[in-house]
Amino acid sequence: MELHVVDHPLVHHKLTVLRDKNTPQPVFRLLVEELMTLLAYEATRGVRVRDIEIETPVAPTTGVKLANPAPLVVPIIRAGLGMLDGMLRLVPTAEVGFLGMIRDEETLQPTTYAERLPKDLSGRQCYVLDPMLATGGSLGGAIQYLVDRGADDINAICLTAAPEGVKKLQELLADLHVPCRVVVAALDERLNDAGYIVPGLGDAGDRLYGLAE
């Protein structure tokens, strides 16, 4: 598993505003989309393309276009939905699948409760969207789910990550034998006793959509 922490002043700026507990919900949503587009730019450096012959107004030339099958974007419901528009702004021809996972707050283990994905992902390049790489269980489970269906290249995009989550993900994916790259805006200090990232930005789902109670 390859970890890439994006080092860019605009990323740092937007993430700082996201971290601020006083940032209002509408601004938080907008910044998640904007930050996601910046992260997606880095995450798609290896997107598959093919050569194509075109005619410019001056002369013929060879360019590239996205290869088939199209990239599959998979937000993890619900917080990952807030990242989807930012991703599609950069790759509007991508297809979208959905994966619902919930973490048991006592055991911190993930459970899949919903999915809307192609049954066969053979040869597919997938982009998994999950704002927080905290314990690593949910993201690791999602990646394994996609690989079990045949996906052969995985890119995960997160806003922040904890060292414990990165280590856990590396352990979960050690024997996967499928290229996996994780792109994050920041690698934070640690997890607290409740499994939240410190300093983090709180519960991304609640800050995007309100309390889920």
Side-chain angles (χ1 to χ4, degrees), residues 16-25 27-28 31 207:
T16 298
V17 182
L18 281 179
R19 291 189 192 278
D20 190 340
K21 67 178 183 180
N22 296 313
T23 297
Q25 190 175 70
V27 176
F28 189 91
L31 283 171
R207 295 193 68 183

PDB file of all heavy atoms in Angstrom, residues 16-25 27-28 31 207:
ATOM      1  N   THR A  16      -7.503  23.549   7.057  1.00  0.00           N
ATOM      2  CA  THR A  16      -7.524  24.320   8.299  1.00  0.00           C
ATOM      3  C   THR A  16      -8.918  24.857   8.581  1.00  0.00           C
ATOM      4  O   THR A  16      -9.409  24.791   9.720  1.00  0.00           O
ATOM      5  CB  THR A  16      -6.518  25.492   8.226  1.00  0.00           C
ATOM      6  OG1 THR A  16      -5.198  24.961   8.069  1.00  0.00           O
ATOM      7  CG2 THR A  16      -6.571  26.335   9.491  1.00  0.00           C
ATOM      8  N   VAL A  17      -9.583  25.377   7.567  1.00  0.00           N
ATOM      9  CA  VAL A  17     -10.942  25.888   7.751  1.00  0.00           C
ATOM     10  C   VAL A  17     -11.898  24.743   8.078  1.00  0.00           C
ATOM     11  O   VAL A  17     -12.801  24.886   8.902  1.00  0.00           O
ATOM     12  CB  VAL A  17     -11.418  26.660   6.504  1.00  0.00           C
ATOM     13  CG1 VAL A  17     -12.811  27.232   6.731  1.00  0.00           C
ATOM     14  CG2 VAL A  17     -10.444  27.792   6.169  1.00  0.00           C
ATOM     15  N   LEU A  18     -11.706  23.587   7.468  1.00  0.00           N
ATOM     16  CA  LEU A  18     -12.544  22.422   7.774  1.00  0.00           C
ATOM     17  C   LEU A  18     -12.364  21.992   9.231  1.00  0.00           C
ATOM     18  O   LEU A  18     -13.338  21.592   9.892  1.00  0.00           O
ATOM     19  CB  LEU A  18     -12.173  21.248   6.869  1.00  0.00           C
ATOM     20  CG  LEU A  18     -12.705  21.250   5.441  1.00  0.00           C
ATOM     21  CD1 LEU A  18     -12.196  20.011   4.705  1.00  0.00           C
ATOM     22  CD2 LEU A  18     -14.229  21.275   5.414  1.00  0.00           C
ATOM     23  N   ARG A  19     -11.159  22.057   9.736  1.00  0.00           N
ATOM     24  CA  ARG A  19     -10.901  21.637  11.116  1.00  0.00           C
ATOM     25  C   ARG A  19     -11.597  22.543  12.131  1.00  0.00           C
ATOM     26  O   ARG A  19     -11.990  22.083  13.210  1.00  0.00           O
ATOM     27  CB  ARG A  19      -9.400  21.650  11.397  1.00  0.00           C
ATOM     28  CG  ARG A  19      -8.576  20.598  10.677  1.00  0.00           C
ATOM     29  CD  ARG A  19      -7.174  20.625  11.242  1.00  0.00           C
ATOM     30  NE  ARG A  19      -6.182  19.869  10.491  1.00  0.00           N
ATOM     31  CZ  ARG A  19      -5.985  18.566  10.589  1.00  0.00           C
ATOM     32  NH1 ARG A  19      -6.756  17.842  11.385  1.00  0.00           N
ATOM     33  NH2 ARG A  19      -5.019  17.969   9.893  1.00  0.00           N
ATOM     34  N   ASP A  20     -11.746  23.809  11.802  1.00  0.00           N
ATOM     35  CA  ASP A  20     -12.294  24.798  12.742  1.00  0.00           C
ATOM     36  C   ASP A  20     -13.718  24.416  13.132  1.00  0.00           C
ATOM     37  O   ASP A  20     -14.602  24.303  12.286  1.00  0.00           O
ATOM     38  CB  ASP A  20     -12.275  26.182  12.086  1.00  0.00           C
ATOM     39  CG  ASP A  20     -12.592  27.304  13.057  1.00  0.00           C
ATOM     40  OD1 ASP A  20     -13.200  27.043  14.136  1.00  0.00           O
ATOM     41  OD2 ASP A  20     -12.253  28.461  12.738  1.00  0.00           O
ATOM     42  N   LYS A  21     -13.951  24.238  14.429  1.00  0.00           N
ATOM     43  CA  LYS A  21     -15.285  23.836  14.889  1.00  0.00           C
ATOM     44  C   LYS A  21     -16.335  24.902  14.646  1.00  0.00           C
ATOM     45  O   LYS A  21     -17.537  24.616  14.674  1.00  0.00           O
ATOM     46  CB  LYS A  21     -15.249  23.487  16.375  1.00  0.00           C
ATOM     47  CG  LYS A  21     -14.973  24.666  17.300  1.00  0.00           C
ATOM     48  CD  LYS A  21     -14.995  24.227  18.755  1.00  0.00           C
ATOM     49  CE  LYS A  21     -14.795  25.417  19.698  1.00  0.00           C
ATOM     50  NZ  LYS A  21     -14.822  24.975  21.127  1.00  0.00           N
ATOM     51  N   ASN A  22     -15.910  26.135  14.385  1.00  0.00           N
ATOM     52  CA  ASN A  22     -16.856  27.231  14.141  1.00  0.00           C
ATOM     53  C   ASN A  22     -17.233  27.375  12.666  1.00  0.00           C
ATOM     54  O   ASN A  22     -18.044  28.239  12.330  1.00  0.00           O
ATOM     55  CB  ASN A  22     -16.267  28.549  14.646  1.00  0.00           C
ATOM     56  CG  ASN A  22     -16.059  28.546  16.155  1.00  0.00           C
ATOM     57  OD1 ASN A  22     -16.942  28.158  16.909  1.00  0.00           O
ATOM     58  ND2 ASN A  22     -14.878  28.960  16.595  1.00  0.00           N
ATOM     59  N   THR A  23     -16.660  26.564  11.797  1.00  0.00           N
ATOM     60  CA  THR A  23     -17.023  26.638  10.380  1.00  0.00           C
ATOM     61  C   THR A  23     -18.457  26.137  10.194  1.00  0.00           C
ATOM     62  O   THR A  23     -18.759  24.997  10.576  1.00  0.00           O
ATOM     63  CB  THR A  23     -16.063  25.785   9.526  1.00  0.00           C
ATOM     64  OG1 THR A  23     -14.738  26.326   9.636  1.00  0.00           O
ATOM     65  CG2 THR A  23     -16.488  25.781   8.068  1.00  0.00           C
ATOM     66  N   PRO A  24     -19.343  26.946   9.630  1.00  0.00           N
ATOM     67  CA  PRO A  24     -20.743  26.531   9.482  1.00  0.00           C
ATOM     68  C   PRO A  24     -20.908  25.402   8.467  1.00  0.00           C
ATOM     69  O   PRO A  24     -20.064  25.218   7.577  1.00  0.00           O
ATOM     70  CB  PRO A  24     -21.456  27.809   9.018  1.00  0.00           C
ATOM     71  CG  PRO A  24     -20.384  28.656   8.434  1.00  0.00           C
ATOM     72  CD  PRO A  24     -19.119  28.326   9.148  1.00  0.00           C
ATOM     73  N   GLN A  25     -21.993  24.678   8.600  1.00  0.00           N
ATOM     74  CA  GLN A  25     -22.222  23.495   7.775  1.00  0.00           C
ATOM     75  C   GLN A  25     -22.186  23.770   6.272  1.00  0.00           C
ATOM     76  O   GLN A  25     -21.544  23.017   5.525  1.00  0.00           O
ATOM     77  CB  GLN A  25     -23.560  22.861   8.166  1.00  0.00           C
ATOM     78  CG  GLN A  25     -23.799  21.493   7.555  1.00  0.00           C
ATOM     79  CD  GLN A  25     -25.072  20.863   8.064  1.00  0.00           C
ATOM     80  OE1 GLN A  25     -26.167  21.317   7.741  1.00  0.00           O
ATOM     81  NE2 GLN A  25     -24.941  19.842   8.889  1.00  0.00           N
ATOM     82  N   VAL A  27     -20.559  26.018   4.592  1.00  0.00           N
ATOM     83  CA  VAL A  27     -19.167  26.267   4.207  1.00  0.00           C
ATOM     84  C   VAL A  27     -18.372  24.969   4.275  1.00  0.00           C
ATOM     85  O   VAL A  27     -17.532  24.696   3.408  1.00  0.00           O
ATOM     86  CB  VAL A  27     -18.539  27.348   5.112  1.00  0.00           C
ATOM     87  CG1 VAL A  27     -17.065  27.537   4.786  1.00  0.00           C
ATOM     88  CG2 VAL A  27     -19.294  28.664   4.965  1.00  0.00           C
ATOM     89  N   PHE A  28     -18.638  24.155   5.288  1.00  0.00           N
ATOM     90  CA  PHE A  28     -17.957  22.870   5.427  1.00  0.00           C
ATOM     91  C   PHE A  28     -18.216  21.993   4.204  1.00  0.00           C
ATOM     92  O   PHE A  28     -17.286  21.412   3.641  1.00  0.00           O
ATOM     93  CB  PHE A  28     -18.457  22.174   6.697  1.00  0.00           C
ATOM     94  CG  PHE A  28     -17.672  20.947   7.069  1.00  0.00           C
ATOM     95  CD1 PHE A  28     -16.582  21.032   7.923  1.00  0.00           C
ATOM     96  CD2 PHE A  28     -18.035  19.698   6.577  1.00  0.00           C
ATOM     97  CE1 PHE A  28     -15.860  19.906   8.279  1.00  0.00           C
ATOM     98  CE2 PHE A  28     -17.315  18.559   6.916  1.00  0.00           C
ATOM     99  CZ  PHE A  28     -16.232  18.660   7.771  1.00  0.00           C
ATOM    100  N   LEU A  31     -16.298  23.337   1.142  1.00  0.00           N
ATOM    101  CA  LEU A  31     -14.856  23.123   1.241  1.00  0.00           C
ATOM    102  C   LEU A  31     -14.480  21.663   1.045  1.00  0.00           C
ATOM    103  O   LEU A  31     -13.416  21.360   0.498  1.00  0.00           O
ATOM    104  CB  LEU A  31     -14.351  23.626   2.592  1.00  0.00           C
ATOM    105  CG  LEU A  31     -14.212  25.152   2.719  1.00  0.00           C
ATOM    106  CD1 LEU A  31     -13.921  25.546   4.154  1.00  0.00           C
ATOM    107  CD2 LEU A  31     -13.114  25.664   1.799  1.00  0.00           C
ATOM    108  N   ARG A 207     -20.954  16.734  10.457  1.00  0.00           N
ATOM    109  CA  ARG A 207     -20.676  18.117  10.051  1.00  0.00           C
ATOM    110  C   ARG A 207     -21.174  18.402   8.641  1.00  0.00           C
ATOM    111  O   ARG A 207     -21.467  19.547   8.296  1.00  0.00           O
ATOM    112  CB  ARG A 207     -19.183  18.416  10.181  1.00  0.00           C
ATOM    113  CG  ARG A 207     -18.692  18.357  11.641  1.00  0.00           C
ATOM    114  CD  ARG A 207     -17.320  18.960  11.787  1.00  0.00           C
ATOM    115  NE  ARG A 207     -17.329  20.400  11.574  1.00  0.00           N
ATOM    116  CZ  ARG A 207     -16.246  21.158  11.580  1.00  0.00           C
ATOM    117  NH1 ARG A 207     -15.054  20.611  11.731  1.00  0.00           N
ATOM    118  NH2 ARG A 207     -16.323  22.468  11.368  1.00  0.00           N
TER     119      ARG A 207
END
